[in-house]
Amino acid sequence: TEFAIQAYTLTTVFPAPSPPGGVIPCIAIGPLNWLITFWAVPLAYDTTTFALTLFKTVQHWRNQVESATLSLLFRDGLIYFAAIFS
C-alpha cells in the first residue's frame, strides 16, 4: 500500500520552480491531500515500528533481560526517529 501511494503521488506532484541563479529547491508542489499522504504514510509506519520496539524494550528492561540486539535496535531506532523529526 505504501509503495502504491508513493508511486501515485510522484506522478501527481512536481518540483517547485527554480529561482534565478541555478539553485534547485527540494520542494514539491501539487494537490495538498496527496502531499500530506506522501509524508504521513511513512511517518505512521515508522512511528508504529518505533512504538513496538519501545514496548518490547521496556518489557525486557522490566524483566531484567539483557539483550544486546534489542538494545542496539532501540538505540538505532531512537537516533533514526530523532533524525526524521529534526
Side-chain angles (χ1 to χ4, degrees), residues 16-25:
S18 297
V23 177
I24 300 171

Side-chain angles (χ1 to χ4, degrees), residues 30-44:
L32 184 61
N33 58 343
W34 279 109
L35 287 173
I36 291 170
T37 304
F38 183 76
W39 293 108
V41 171
L43 184 61

Side-chain angles (χ1 to χ4, degrees), residues 40-55:
V41 171
L43 184 61
Y45 175 79
D46 291 342
T47 302
T48 302
T49 303
F50 182 71
L52 291 172
T53 304
L54 178 63
F55 175 72

Side-chain angles (χ1 to χ4, degrees), residues 66-84:
E66 291 293 324
S67 173
T69 304
L70 189 60
S71 295
L72 179 68
L73 284 172
F74 176 70
R75 184 198 69 196
D76 290 354
L78 184 61
I79 291 168
Y80 170 75
F81 208 65
I84 64 173

